[in-house]
Amino acid sequence: MSIAAETAAVPTGTWQADTVHSSVAFEVPYAVATFGGSVTDFDATLADGRLTGVARIASIAVKDENLEAHLLSPEFFDAERHPEVRFTTDTIRRNGDDVEVDGQITIKGITQPATLRGTIVGPSVDHFGKNRVGLSLETTVDRTAFDINWNMPLPNGDPALANEVTLKADLTLVGQGS
Amino acid sequence: MHVLAISGSLRRDSNNTRLLRALREEAPEGVEVTIWDGLKQLPHYDADDDGVPGPPAVDAFRRLVRDADAVVFATPEYNSSIPGALKNALDWGSRPLATNAFRNKPVAVIASSAGAFGAVWAAAELRKVLGAMGARVAGVELAVGHAGERFDADGRLADDDVRQGLRDALESLIAETTPNLQAA
């Protein structure tokens, strides 16, 4: 097998997110700019070419506790009834450093297909001798497809909050047993 | 299951309070409806007075909401919106915002007015306010128009359709509350 073919393959085996060096975040146009936040409590695993992830929505972090409470409320994620956001893989494709993951994303108990696109780095050995893979992925979802419908009209009649939300995951995955 | 019922009207012969009495009569076995009569005792909201402890009437109101499994409101419509006294109670009840007594609380809104539209705009406003407070707003839309004609001389609801509407509203509220009770 050539070196080029090896680097173009999706890594086999099991890789677990090093969550200290990983992040899961969202961005959404709000009024005149882009508003963003993150979810700090999550897990992600790449096992036999399938990426799975789960984020505990109670750990949503924005810069205001009242806004966090609003995001957890039934008007947004309804974290009491739907505590987790999940992703499962159907197929994953690697072309050099580019990667696409077709899968299913579940938010507020509703599952919709989604394609995550981004880049993949590695596997490569880190300074502690561990094998690591970097995955940087994002997708855009229509939040109303997940029953997240809150909005407020601006004075000009436009909605304050866009429906299209960008979800981002920057993952450092560590080879298990490596 | 304990349901706290709040009328937005202070008037002695309020149609909305009478509706809540009828709703209490229609409660199924195991569902206890308590009609709150403390609305008039609440002071005007003032953040300077919102300490620990707060005004006794406010602390008592917040405790009642926390202890209830669900809350049902009956509101009239004043100037296309909800009465100031009711909004004042919700303003007290919504603090502190992130941990307020209404957060995740199943709530339902019914409404009535002397006119044809049954306070439908006030009901929409009330649902909006409750949603912003973090309550779990049940999909109940019972707006009783011409309310003065629905009660007999003793003030008892004499309209079978409205009674059915009240039973349906309670059923929706109970359905919204059941997962909370199962999780407890």
Side-chain angles (χ1 to χ4, degrees), chain A residues 113-132:
Chain A
T115 298
L116 316 183
R117 294 184 175 84
T119 56
I120 183 167
V121 177
S124 62
V125 178
D126 72 7
H127 43 300
F128 301 112
K130 288 203 174 288
N131 261 323
R132 290 181 182 253

Side-chain angles (χ1 to χ4, degrees), chain B residues 4-90:
Chain B
L4 182 66
I6 297 177
S7 172
S9 171
L10 296 170
R11 191 165 67 92
R12 188 183 56 239
D13 295 328
S14 156
N15 292 321
N16 280 286
T17 306
R18 287 171 169 174
L19 270 181
L20 290 178
R21 289 195 196 109
L23 178 131
R24 185 174 56 191
E25 291 169 2
E26 299 301 328
E29 180 144 356
V31 176
E32 181 195 354
V33 177
T34 303
I35 300 175
W36 182 54
D37 62 0
L39 185 62
K40 200 168 183 172
Q41 276 71 55
L42 293 182
H44 293 163
Y45 182 78
D46 181 343
D48 291 341
D49 296 336
D50 195 4
V52 179
V58 171
D59 286 346
F61 171 55
R62 287 171 173 163
R63 253 195 321 274
L64 277 175
V65 174
R66 278 194 198 285
D67 289 347
D69 297 307
V71 182
V72 60
F73 292 85
T75 186
E77 187 166 277
Y78 293 180
N79 301 306
S80 304
S81 187
I82 61 175
L86 178 57
K87 181 63 162 50
N88 182 58
L90 295 176

Side-chain angles (χ1 to χ4, degrees), chain A residues 65-66 69-70 72-75 78 80-81 152, chain B residues 97-98 103-104 131-132 134-136 176 179-180:
Chain A
E65 66 164 350
N66 291 328
H70 196 195
L72 297 178
S73 81
E75 287 198 321
D78 194 359
E80 185 185 54
R81 299 265 166 96
M152 196 70 94
Chain B
L97 187 55
R103 195 156 286 286
N104 289 316
R136 185 177 297 288
E176 197 61 75
N180 285 19

Side-chain angles (χ1 to χ4, degrees), chain A residues 26-54:
Chain A
F26 65 90
E27 291 181 350
V28 56
Y30 177 64
V32 295
T34 299
F35 174 77
S38 62
V39 179
T40 60
D41 181 9
F42 60 89
D43 297 312
T45 305
L46 179 65
D48 298 327
R50 285 178 183 271
L51 179 69
T52 57
V54 57

